């Protein structure tokens, strides 16, 4: 059997929801069977490193792409790690300051954000992010390692911001927009390049908007049943949701595992 390098998104793909959702046993058993058959199993997620490594450990996976493609971990070691384009970050922050849009920055491979004025931040309906925000004194013009930005601006006001040449806005809430890396395939290509393995052996699984660039570039792309329509249109194959054994069904379909592998 030809060895494949299979990269799985977490939220909405291995799980059927966001952070904290469960990974079905059929998906877990499939990942184990894939590894036993000699395939390389990895994660490809937009999550920061700190929120990726525990899931990888739980799944007994030691290689993953995180930070939306800007960090690569292979066999437990970071082999590639870069921030956002800092010139573009500074230009965007200048615009935020000019328009009076509150913002937070993240400089580490975690989900903690810094802001210059906590009182200026609107209260979010969802308090999840609020617990990760701390007040700190920093000069926006001298930042060198910004990994993520969170800007408190609604969809209409966001149109005033024009400094998005390589910075991709992701809106998870009406109250704010997140600026974070979104080309997970960049990290996949980097891993394959370092390993000197052919890109033709890459398979990606996904469900959402931040998987689009992966699906546009990967040789084989598999969308789960709850994926957005745009992703399904790009997919090589559409399977069921993970809680409907979709991961397992796709791998059986392509012959990467057999019924005997998962009955043991």
């Amino acid at each position: 059997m030809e060895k494949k390098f299979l990269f799985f998104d977490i939220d909405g793909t291995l799980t059927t929801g966001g952070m904290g959702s469960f990974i079905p046993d059929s998906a877990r058993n499939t990942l184990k069977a894939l590894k036993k058959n000699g395939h390389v199993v990895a994660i490809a997620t937009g999550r920061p490193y700190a929120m990726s490594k525990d899931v990888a450990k739980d799944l007994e996976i030691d290689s993953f792409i995180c930070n939306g493609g800007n960090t690569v971990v292979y066999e437990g070691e970071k082999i590639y790690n870069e921030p956002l384009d800092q010139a573009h970050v500074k230009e965007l922050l200048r615009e935020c300051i000019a328009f009076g849009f509150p913002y937070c920055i993240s400089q580490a491979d975690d989900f903690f954000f810094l802001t210059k004025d906590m009182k200026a931040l609107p209260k979010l309906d969802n308090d999840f992010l609020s617990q990760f925000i701390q007040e700190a004194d920093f000069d926006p013009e001298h930042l060198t390692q910004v990994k993520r930005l969170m800007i408190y601006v609604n969809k209409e006001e966001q149109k005033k911001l024009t400094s998005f040449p390589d910075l991709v806005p992701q809106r998870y809430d009406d109250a704010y927009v997140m600026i974070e890396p979104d080309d997970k395939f960049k990290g996949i290509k980097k891993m394959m390049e370092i390993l000197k393995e052919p890109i033709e052996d890459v398979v990606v699984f996904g469900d959402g908007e931040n998987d689009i660039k992966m699906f546009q570039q990967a040789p084989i792309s598999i969308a789960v049943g709850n994926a957005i329509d745009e992703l399904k249109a790009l997919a090589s194959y559409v399977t069921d949701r993970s809680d409907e054994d979709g991961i397992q069904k796709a791998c059986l379909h392509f012959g990467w595992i057999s019924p005997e592998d998962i009955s043991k």
Side-chain angles (χ1 to χ4, degrees), residues 2-3 5 192-193 195-202 219:
E2 193 174 291
K3 181 172 74 171
F5 291 76
M192 299 301 281
E193 175 188 317
L195 298 180
K196 294 182 171 55
E197 295 285 356
I199 204 74
E200 291 76 23
D201 291 336
V202 166

Side-chain angles (χ1 to χ4, degrees), residues 44-262:
T45 179
R47 292 188 186 195
Y49 172 77
M51 290 187 170
S52 307
K53 60 185 178 68
D54 289 343
V55 177
K57 182 178 180 181
D58 175 51
L59 292 171
E60 298 180 358
I61 293 174
D62 58 8
S63 299
F64 53 97
I65 311 297
C66 58
N67 286 331
N70 276 25
T71 301
V72 177
V73 176
Y74 181 68
E75 293 186 346
E77 179 185 352
K78 281 186 189 178
I79 58 175
Y80 175 74
N81 191 27
E82 71 172 9
L84 294 169
D85 184 302
Q86 300 301 286
H88 294 161
V89 165
K90 290 173 186 177
E91 185 58 36
L92 184 56
L93 290 181
R94 291 182 195 118
E95 285 195 318
C96 290
I97 292 167
F99 290 117
F101 298 150
Y103 64 87
C104 306
I105 62 163
S106 177
Q107 293 183 287
D109 291 325
D110 55 30
F111 216 56
F112 284 95
F113 288 85
L114 303 177
T115 184
K116 290 182 70 66
D117 185 2
M118 290 286 286
K119 299 188 196 68
L121 302 183
K123 179 169 174 56
L124 298 176
D125 291 336
N126 184 340
D127 287 331
F128 172 74
L129 278 176
S130 301
Q131 63 184 309
F132 295 103
I133 300 173
Q134 302 171 348
E135 189 168 286
D137 186 27
F138 58 86
D139 182 351
E141 292 295 329
H142 290 90
L143 296 172
T144 60
Q145 287 292 318
V146 175
K147 302 292 181 73
R148 274 177 172 72
L149 287 168
M150 184 162 59
I151 303 171
Y152 290 79
V153 59
N154 61 39
K155 290 181 182 178
E156 189 60 32
E157 291 286 289
Q158 183 185 327
K159 295 175 183 176
K160 295 179 180 179
L161 299 173
T162 60
S163 298
F164 289 125
D166 288 325
L167 302 180
V168 181
Q170 301 279 348
R171 185 167 288 278
Y172 302 110
D173 189 283
D174 290 339
Y176 68 88
V177 64
M178 193 81 77
I179 312 299
E180 57 187 359
D182 86 323
D183 189 357
K184 293 190 272 189
F185 202 72
K186 179 179 76 171
I188 291 172
K189 285 192 292 187
K190 180 61 69 173
M191 180 184 287
M192 299 301 281
E193 175 188 317
I194 292 171
L195 298 180
K196 294 182 171 55
E197 295 285 356
I199 204 74
E200 291 76 23
D201 291 336
V202 166
V203 179
V204 300
F205 287 71
D207 73 292
E209 188 176 359
N210 73 344
D211 297 314
I212 288 174
K213 289 182 180 176
M214 281 203 310
F215 275 50
Q216 288 172 333
Q217 301 172 80
I220 299 177
S221 54
I222 299 172
V224 288
N226 51 288
I228 60 174
D229 290 340
E230 185 176 357
L231 204 66
K232 288 180 178 178
L234 292 168
S236 308
Y237 183 76
V238 178
T239 188
D240 291 329
R241 295 157 47 111
S242 66
D243 59 357
E244 297 171 342
D245 303 337
I247 303 296
Q248 190 172 97
K249 289 173 182 176
C251 293
L252 286 168
H253 170 82
F254 282 96
W256 300 320
I257 62 172
S258 69
E260 291 74 22
D261 293 326
I262 53 179

